[in-house]
Amino acid sequence: MFAKSLVLALLPLIAVAAPHQRYRAGAARQARGEVSCTQPQASNGVNVGKAIYILTNDAENAVVAIPIGQDGMLSKGSVAKTGGAGSIAVDAMGQPAVPDPLISQSSLTLVGNSIFAVNAGSNSLSMMAISAEDPTSLSCVGQPVAIPGEFPNTVAASAKNNLACVGTTGALAGISCATFSNKGLGEMDGLRAFDIGQTTPPVGPTNTVSHSFFSADESVLFTTVKGDPAVNNTGFLSVFPVQDAALSKTDVRSSPEGTAVLFGSALIPNDPSSIFVTDASFGAAVLTVGSDGRGQVKGSQAVDGQAATCWVAVSDATKSAFVTDVGVNRVVEMSLDDASIIKELDLSANGDPGLIDLRAAGDFVYALSPGNGTTNAAITVLDTSGGQGSMKQVQHFDLSGLAGKNAQGMAVML
């Protein structure tokens, strides 16, 4: 019965996402430099988003909301507390695993006018509402809900199913989900365990849960899990179908040949059976996921000189992927067909030690650097309006006063 339902759930797999609606800018920017919710395209025709959001992941956790101007540039934003606590993974020596303390992608995610943010230190999930008048004005919806796992580090949300699913990577690792409404989150269901033998906090970055995300038609939840090549432990791709607006209790797992440390992921537009993934052991790959839920490598590419290629964003404007490395301050643009490299952009002149989470919005890509305690956290803004191979830095936005060395995650409102 499960096999049949899984096949039915996976056949549409990743439906083609509808193109983002474009608008014309009409009103002037607000006094603080914020852009109105009705202005995602400037009068000069440049396509922009409305705001970006990051997680402070501090002891008193919070979400930072930063407005995107009509020119794609960032300006001073606001901070809203989640009601939970952040936390930090440790390295093999037992020291704080910075500047990537959650060792994951998508520690917060956005659906409609709602943001979902993990609280790794209090094992909870917060839901926040975005004001319809001001995309940088956030308010908590209900109370943070307790998670049955430990050290939540990635969250996915489905508007179609009113379902938020969290990946945990501590001593109790796995996936748990809760329904949500305009009144907040319901109770989390039971943990679908990943037996990865971790501790709380986890010892990373290898052998940890990486990234949970829904397919574009929201019928499947994908999760990437890192292996550890040093002990011959191969990572895997987990695929849970959604059945009657609830996540199945059983997944299909596969370790695509040649992959080992699967990390960040992104859906590929106009390709309903493929996803783009990074692999910290070599670079990135395009995976084809069959109707049986098993992934196979369609194309892969090593990134020379990498420390750990871990995060990815796909741009609808360029139809390409952009990947980042926490140990090398550059952005690499790659093909969605076979992961071949289109362009590498050296950003060392801006002083960041490396980059983590990133998102594409219109003609721009935004990439987060948490800094290292000596350098400030910052966001690098890249202009990609010239198409593939055209990326160039147009802003280096200092996050002083908003977020620091524990900053994680990124979501964007389009």
Side-chain angles (χ1 to χ4, degrees):
M1 177 66 70
F2 168 71
K4 181 178 180 181
S5 62
L6 176 61
V7 170
L8 291 174
L10 289 171
L11 283 176
L13 202 58
I14 310 172
V16 178
H20 301 302
Q21 188 174 0
R22 305 298 187 189
Y23 301 86
R24 290 289 175 184
R29 294 179 69 183
Q30 297 176 6
R32 288 191 304 166
E34 298 156 3
V35 62
S36 158
C37 283
T38 58
Q39 314 179 290
Q41 187 179 72
S43 58
N44 61 5
V46 175
N47 295 316
V48 297
K50 298 174 183 175
I52 60 173
Y53 308 89
I54 61 173
L55 195 67
T56 67
N57 191 43
D58 289 330
E60 190 173 29
N61 205 7
V63 174
V64 178
I66 304 169
I68 299 174
Q70 295 182 23
D71 55 0
M73 303 299 102
L74 305 179
S75 57
K76 191 70 171 180
S78 61
V79 180
K81 296 176 183 177
T82 66
S87 188
I88 300 174
V90 297
D91 62 22
M93 303 300 292
Q95 299 301 307
V98 291
D100 179 26
L102 295 183
I103 47 183
S104 68
Q105 182 163 314
S106 294
S107 54
L108 76 170
T109 195
L110 185 153
V111 169
N113 288 320
S114 299
I115 289 178
F116 301 86
V118 301
N119 301 301
S122 52
N123 296 327
S124 63
L125 179 69
S126 297
M127 179 178 174
M128 309 181 86
I130 303 170
S131 167
E133 288 75 34
D134 178 358
T136 66
S137 178
L138 309 180
S139 58
C140 285
V141 182
Q143 299 296 315
V145 62
I147 295 170
E150 295 181 1
F151 204 91
N153 67 339
T154 182
V155 56
S158 164
K160 177 181 178 180
N161 300 295
N162 292 324
L163 194 65
C165 295
V166 179
T168 55
T169 194
L172 295 175
I175 303 294
S176 52
C177 303
T179 58
F180 65 86
S181 69
N182 58 8
K183 295 182 179 180
L185 290 156
E187 183 178 354
M188 302 293 293
D189 63 12
L191 187 70
R192 300 155 183 80
F194 292 152
D195 185 14
I196 56 177
Q198 266 294 352
T199 58
T200 302
V203 179
T206 55
N207 192 41
T208 56
V209 175
S210 300
H211 185 199
S212 291
F213 59 107
F214 280 100
S215 59
D217 69 354
E218 302 172 37
S219 67
V220 171
L221 179 75
F222 296 105
T223 301
T224 50
V225 179
K226 311 175 199 69
D228 186 353
V231 295
N232 199 30
N233 176 22
T234 302
F236 59 88
L237 174 70
S238 162
V239 178
F240 281 99
V242 178
Q243 300 168 335
D244 299 324
L247 197 70
S248 170
K249 298 297 183 181
T250 308
D251 64 341
V252 171
R253 301 178 190 179
S254 59
S255 299
E257 185 175 0
T259 66
V261 189
L262 293 172
F263 205 114
S265 315
L267 304 177
I268 297 179
N270 304 316
D271 190 346
S273 63
S274 297
I275 57 177
F276 191 100
V277 297
T278 61
D279 190 303
S281 68
F282 68 87
V286 175
L287 302 183
T288 297
V289 183
S291 59
D292 60 356
R294 303 183 65 83
Q296 293 185 325
V297 174
K298 178 181 177 182
S300 63
Q301 176 67 55
V303 178
D304 291 342
Q306 73 149 20
T309 302
C310 296
W311 297 268
V312 58
V314 167
S315 168
D316 286 344
T318 64
K319 302 297 188 293
S320 57
F322 296 83
V323 304
T324 54
D325 187 321
V326 72
V328 182
N329 190 18
R330 67 178 174 188
V331 175
V332 180
E333 184 178 4
M334 308 182 81
S335 166
L336 297 181
D337 294 324
D338 56 8
S340 58
I341 294 175
I342 296 170
K343 180 179 180 178
E344 296 184 18
L345 180 62
D346 181 0
L347 296 167
S348 56
N350 68 26
D352 289 339
L355 298 164
I356 58 167
D357 280 91
L358 71 166
R359 286 293 182 270
D363 292 325
F364 297 87
V365 172
Y366 301 87
L368 171 66
S369 172
N372 55 16
T374 301
T375 61
N376 293 335
I379 294 174
T380 295
V381 182
L382 304 178
D383 184 340
T384 62
S385 59
Q388 290 188 3
S390 70
M391 63 173 164
K392 59 183 178 181
Q393 179 180 313
V394 290
Q395 186 184 21
H396 187 250
F397 182 74
D398 193 307
L399 289 168
S400 296
L402 295 173
K405 63 181 180 180
N406 295 330
Q408 292 281 277
M410 185 178 288
V412 63
M413 174 171 276
L414 298 172

